[in-house]
Amino acid sequence: EAQVTQNPRYLITVTGKKLTVTCSQNMNHEYMSWYRQDPGLGLRQIYYSMNVEVTDKGDVPEGYKVSRKEKRNFPLILESPSPNQTSLYFCASSFSGSGELFFGEGSRLTVL
Amino acid sequence: GESVGLHLPTLSVQEGDNSIINCAYSNSASDYFIWYKQESGKGPQFIIDIRSNMDKRQGQRVTVLLNKTVKHLSLQIAATQPGDSAVYFCAENGDGTASKLTFGTGTRLQVTL
């Protein structure tokens, strides 16, 4: 089954404790992206990757890191999480240039 | 800065009626527009897209209309069903690709029986 898998789905952590949210897709998509979703603000892009070893900032990259060492994986790293990073995070992928993004189920992160 | 917005945060429609969800955009350079549907507890799901060289595009029970003159986009759902209840987002990208999509804040569609 074609899918984008995120882990963990739910996480409660404390300020400053490094965490990684993994994202994996099995559709051989070149493009992958991370979004955060907050009430009243819609989806905002954090980082995206056009292909392996190619990443770029989205609209809200501060406090986040990403890497794209393999085509299927695009982890989101929070080196020192803060409460304002409490949010619902979505990973998405697509073939390059396509607006048909395939989204994961989301990862709800709470930073205390 | 440029933004994508929606006219109504919540739309209530009776089952069987047609639904119209509107979206205004401000980036005059945008040439690619997409509608997504997000059901409760799930990630957004692609519905339909349209490029700026078109005014209308139809899918299964859905039609997207683009009015570039007034920078307005709409999603029409025919014969709305309970399964259409969700939040609908429009998105646009100024360079015609999906590399940096800008999403609107969403409209919640409630289908009443």
Side-chain angles (χ1 to χ4, degrees):
Chain A
E1 180 189 354
Q3 59 185 2
V4 177
T5 304
Q6 298 178 224
N7 280 295
R9 293 288 313 280
Y10 303 91
L11 179 64
I12 300 174
T13 189
V14 296
T15 299
K17 186 176 182 181
K18 180 180 178 180
L19 68 92
T20 299
V21 186
T22 63
C23 174
S24 181
Q25 51 94 5
N26 62 1
M27 295 168 279
N28 202 35
H29 287 161
E30 299 89 4
Y31 177 88
M32 298 185 75
S33 182
W34 276 103
Y35 293 85
R36 60 178 289 173
Q37 186 172 33
D38 302 289
L41 296 177
L43 288 153
R44 293 180 292 166
Q45 190 178 46
I46 303 171
Y47 270 96
Y48 65 97
S49 170
M50 298 297 288
N51 215 323
V52 176
E53 301 292 0
V54 180
T55 63
D56 210 344
K57 295 178 181 179
D59 297 317
V60 288
E62 296 77 20
Y64 304 94
K65 286 176 56 177
V66 293
S67 68
R68 187 91 182 273
K69 292 181 169 44
E70 304 165 287
K71 196 172 187 179
R72 63 183 294 128
N73 296 323
F74 191 45
L76 179 70
I77 303 157
L78 285 74
E79 292 272 4
S80 183
S82 62
N84 65 12
Q85 292 178 297
T86 292
S87 187
L88 179 58
Y89 291 88
F90 287 100
C91 180
S93 71
S94 74
F95 289 113
S96 244
S98 169
E100 187 173 355
L101 291 172
F102 290 80
F103 282 83
E105 295 285 275
S107 296
R108 185 168 292 281
L109 171 65
T110 301
V111 183
L112 301 176
Chain B
E2 303 289 355
S3 65
V4 176
L6 290 169
H7 294 309
L8 297 173
T10 303
L11 178 66
S12 186
V13 174
Q14 199 158 21
E15 182 181 5
D17 289 350
N18 297 334
S19 303
I20 300 176
I21 302 171
N22 296 303
C23 177
Y25 65 95
S26 57
N27 184 354
S28 56
S30 296
D31 64 355
Y32 183 44
F33 304 88
I34 308 146
W35 281 99
Y36 282 88
K37 171 187 180 182
Q38 186 176 23
E39 296 177 53
S40 181
K42 295 186 177 182
Q45 182 180 15
F46 174 90
I47 301 173
I48 192 168
D49 59 1
I50 187 169
R51 296 200 178 270
S52 60
N53 60 353
M54 302 174 70
D55 296 323
K56 178 180 179 179
R57 191 168 187 214
Q58 289 183 292
Q60 187 177 13
R61 278 201 310 119
V62 295
T63 301
V64 56
L65 298 177
L66 176 61
N67 185 330
K68 295 181 285 294
T69 303
V70 295
K71 296 183 192 147
H72 184 267
L73 187 69
S74 69
L75 177 71
Q76 300 179 2
I77 304 173
T80 311
Q81 303 169 358
D84 295 326
S85 293
V87 177
Y88 290 81
F89 295 94
C90 64
E92 54 95 7
N93 188 292
D95 67 4
T97 72
S99 62
K100 293 196 73 174
L101 285 177
T102 299
F103 283 81
T105 53
T107 292
R108 181 174 301 280
L109 177 65
Q110 296 178 331
V111 181
T112 58
L113 301 177

